[in-house]
Amino acid sequence: MEELVIRDADVVDGSGGPSYRADVVVDGGRIVSIVQEAAAAGCQRPKARRELDAEGLVLSPGFIDMHAHSDLALLRDPDHSAKAAQGVTLEVIGQDGLSYAPVDDRTLAEVRSTITGWNGYGDDIDFDWRSVGEYLDRLDRGVAVNAAYLIPQGTVRMLVVGWEDREATPQELDRMRQLVAEGMEQGAVGMSSGLTYTPGMYAKDAELTELCRVVASYGGYYCPHHRSYGAGALEAYKEMVELTREAGCSLHLAHATMNFGVNEGRAPELLTLLDETLTAGADISLDTYPYTPGCTTLVAMLPSWASEGGPEEILRRLADDETADRIRHHLEVIGSDGCHGVPMEWDTIEISGVTDPALAGYVGRRLDSWTTARHLLLADRLAPSILQHVGHEENVRQIMRHRVHTGGSDGILQGAKPHPRAYGTFPRYLGHYVRELGILPLEECVAHLTSRPAARLRLPDRGLVKEGYRADLVLFNPATVAAGSTFEEPRTLPTGIPHVLIDGRFVIEDGRRTDVLAGRSVRRSPVRRNANSPA
């Protein structure tokens, strides 16, 4: 007898098609049968060792977070309710060109310092890996939700070239190509970049194109945080389109927003670019979060020249009054490339987290000046994380309607007051934007969060409620599902999602986190498409 039958569910299967009422039978981690109500009339209904009454609940595929920063949180926090309680069954990590594999001892120390504001320094983590494959093996020991990995281009450059703002030599480029190939062979699904973050931003387009050729040869995709989301945003999108076209590589635009005052009302221009490029045959998708503020680290705002050489050089420059004043001038007058070419408006910056308890009083406060920002960067050794209040609601709504849109939280779980998107992205789509505002029909929204990202990841058995597919499933109440997290209380869990299953096992049951660790790495099959990529 099968393990579980989910009885009388309103199935929204992820395809975008109409919902239907059915009994869904799960066994061995997969969906073994779906008996629709009409077909069951007059017939014996399926039975199983356990029966779950889903009356009044929607059954959908598990949600796929296409842009997550849980690289250490998955290892640190077995509970990981921030994502599991939202119905997320798969996260894509290794984002924005900075993560923890591939590394050597030097690079690992540098990247830990660089993205402390994203993930903490990791004193509580045993960094017993160096390669992409070893990191994925670590996830396979059991984590809360599944995870796929993008090779971080900035980390690769850090490992091979270092922190210098220069072109890679031919030998260095060959080594970077080799590292990307090795990461793809070990199971990565693609490559990410953070082109407003150092040292990845020092790479010219020709270098990125060569790395993307390697990614494409393995059937992966390129996921850039491109060179500007502010002044020059549309040109930055076009740059990524042209680069990947030249490389023959699929493109997924990370947190595809149009932010800052210069881009208010300009979402249609981005959507026109997408439509024209898709019509021309390009393979493009994007993700967004359903909020207006952004979130990153305070140090990321600095001009790239101030970050050359790595964390210790940044601190040295900040400590020097003359150099610090040059930094201030770039931020406030010129418009730092770290701040997307837009002159800094300090009152848009809210401190969301620090590591030094003596600085806790700054959390939740807006900055008033460069003097305060500099003090925090020095006192907390570049660790402060921030919210940046520069988005536009109409841009958010228009972009989320697009046919290649997927959901991504960009959720940074670090800090005393993180962005509420880390805990609320997926229920906010379903509650606020579907039920309350009607921006998307429910069936269409679920497709954005399930089958579309699964197609981008080229997963043959996830993203749909379909016989033979993995039983990564969510049951939610469409009348009550909502994000509990707010800017005031960002760690509040959502409501209206009583059950979440991964591989047929309950990770959320009756609204509570179980002790099940059903998550594993989700790896791209290491099949090279042609013989031109490095061995």
Side-chain angles (χ1 to χ4, degrees):
M1 182 177 288
E2 280 77 16
E3 296 170 1
L4 171 69
V5 59
I6 302 171
R7 182 93 60 205
D8 293 323
D10 291 322
V11 178
V12 176
D13 66 6
S15 68
S19 64
Y20 58 85
R21 191 174 175 89
D23 295 345
V24 177
V25 182
V26 172
D27 192 60
R30 293 189 178 267
I31 300 168
V32 296
S33 68
I34 301 171
V35 181
Q36 294 195 35
E37 185 177 52
C43 302
Q44 185 175 4
R45 302 182 73 177
K47 295 182 179 179
R49 287 192 292 272
R50 177 174 178 184
E51 182 174 313
L52 176 64
D53 181 5
E55 182 70 38
L57 299 178
V58 166
L59 174 67
S60 82
F63 304 136
I64 299 176
D65 187 342
M66 285 296 287
H67 193 104
H69 287 283
S70 303
D71 307 47
L72 297 186
L74 282 164
L75 304 178
R76 173 184 295 122
D77 179 16
D79 183 81
H80 201 43
S81 287
K83 294 302 180 67
Q86 292 186 62
V88 171
T89 58
L90 169 61
E91 298 183 280
V92 185
I93 55 178
Q95 299 284 353
D96 293 332
L98 291 166
S99 190
Y100 305 92
V103 293
D104 59 13
D105 291 350
R106 170 190 63 83
T107 308
L108 177 60
E110 290 173 346
V111 77
R112 287 173 66 184
S113 294
T114 300
I115 52 175
T116 296
W118 293 358
N119 298 306
Y121 187 69
D123 287 332
D124 52 346
I125 302 292
D126 178 9
F127 288 89
D128 59 352
W129 69 85
R130 294 297 181 268
S131 71
V132 170
E134 289 168 348
Y135 175 70
L136 297 179
D137 289 344
R138 177 69 178 274
L139 297 177
D140 284 341
R141 298 180 198 172
V143 288
V145 304
N146 296 312
Y149 191 72
L150 294 166
I151 302 163
Q153 170 262 329
T155 301
V156 169
R157 198 172 213 274
M158 193 187 306
L159 178 58
V160 176
V161 181
W163 289 84
E164 299 176 47
D165 184 1
R166 63 170 176 83
E167 293 187 17
T169 67
Q171 294 77 17
E172 288 168 338
L173 181 57
D174 283 345
R175 177 58 179 149
M176 287 190 285
R177 293 174 73 245
Q178 182 182 28
L179 286 169
V180 172
E182 289 173 356
M184 295 300 295
E185 289 174 356
Q186 292 164 7
V189 296
M191 182 179 75
S192 74
S193 284
L195 299 179
T196 64
Y197 300 134
T198 54
M201 70 188 300
Y202 298 143
K204 301 296 190 290
D205 283 2
E207 178 181 314
L208 296 171
T209 299
E210 287 304 307
L211 299 183
C212 283
R213 290 188 201 279
V214 178
V215 173
S217 72
Y218 287 90
Y221 69 94
Y222 182 43
C223 180
H225 165 128
H226 52 272
R227 297 192 193 275
S228 177
Y229 290 83
L234 199 63
E235 290 72 20
Y237 283 115
K238 291 177 181 177
E239 177 189 8
M240 295 298 100
V241 168
E242 291 302 318
L243 187 157
T244 50
R245 178 183 291 156
E246 174 68 20
C249 188
S250 300
L251 173 63
H252 181 83
L253 296 168
H255 37 59
T257 57
M258 294 288 284
N259 285 342
F260 301 90
V262 294
N263 289 316
E264 186 171 3
R266 296 188 67 192
E269 296 177 58
L270 170 60
L271 301 180
T272 296
L273 170 64
L274 287 174
D275 289 336
E276 291 173 351
T277 308
L278 289 163
T279 299
D283 180 13
I284 300 180
S285 55
L286 59 86
D287 66 69
T288 70
Y289 48 83
Y291 298 86
T292 52
C295 178
T296 186
T297 56
L298 183 58
V299 68
M301 299 291 101
L302 301 185
S304 57
W305 63 261
S307 297
E308 189 174 3
E312 292 305 317
E313 283 298 301
I314 299 172
L315 289 166
R316 183 188 63 78
R317 293 185 181 106
L318 287 168
D320 179 76
D321 289 344
E322 183 177 345
T323 308
D325 194 59
R326 285 182 59 210
I327 294 172
R328 178 203 61 76
H329 182 76
H330 270 79
L331 283 166
E332 295 181 352
V333 179
I334 296 174
S336 160
D337 50 3
C339 192
H340 309 276
V342 178
M344 178 65 72
E345 298 176 9
W346 291 113
D347 62 356
T348 68
I349 304 297
E350 178 185 352
I351 300 299
S352 60
V354 294
T355 59
D356 184 347
L359 302 171
Y362 287 95
V363 174
R365 286 170 51 183
R366 303 283 185 111
L367 291 181
D368 57 0
S369 67
W370 163 243
T371 301
T372 304
R374 179 190 179 195
H375 166 68
L376 286 171
L377 287 167
L378 285 167
D380 208 30
R381 294 188 59 79
L382 313 181
S385 54
I386 62 170
L387 304 184
Q388 194 169 18
H389 296 268
V390 292
H392 305 286
E393 178 66 19
E394 188 54 34
N395 283 352
V396 170
R397 295 184 187 188
Q398 291 191 41
I399 293 169
M400 74 169 61
R401 293 189 183 105
H402 197 272
R403 65 185 185 279
V404 299
H405 169 266
T406 67
S409 70
D410 197 10
I412 294 175
L413 300 168
Q414 192 68 18
K417 195 179 179 187
H419 196 303
R421 68 193 184 193
Y423 284 73
T425 287
F426 295 86
R428 181 169 168 84
Y429 270 120
L430 298 170
H432 184 59
Y433 285 97
V434 171
R435 184 181 64 247
E436 296 175 2
L437 299 181
I439 300 298
L440 288 166
L442 177 61
E443 291 84 356
E444 176 70 8
C445 184
V446 168
H448 286 220
L449 308 181
T450 59
S451 64
R452 288 188 189 175
R456 165 51 66 219
L457 296 167
R458 295 184 177 164
L459 302 177
D461 59 356
R462 301 176 196 264
L464 293 170
V465 179
K466 185 175 180 179
E467 291 181 359
Y469 274 50
R470 290 185 179 272
D472 294 353
L473 301 168
V474 181
L475 286 133
F476 64 89
N477 187 330
T480 63
V481 62
S485 59
T486 64
F487 287 98
E488 292 73 30
E489 299 291 338
R491 295 187 186 275
T492 306
L493 296 179
T495 57
I497 306 179
H499 304 290
V500 181
L501 296 88
I502 295 178
D503 230 23
R505 302 167 66 192
F506 284 89
V507 296
I508 300 290
E509 187 173 10
D510 295 323
R512 297 180 180 179
R513 179 72 171 93
T514 70
D515 61 1
V516 169
L517 296 176
R520 300 292 185 272
S521 69
V522 174
R523 309 191 192 206
R524 174 69 51 81
S525 176
V527 177
R528 202 165 57 199
R529 288 181 165 184
N530 60 54
N532 294 326
S533 57

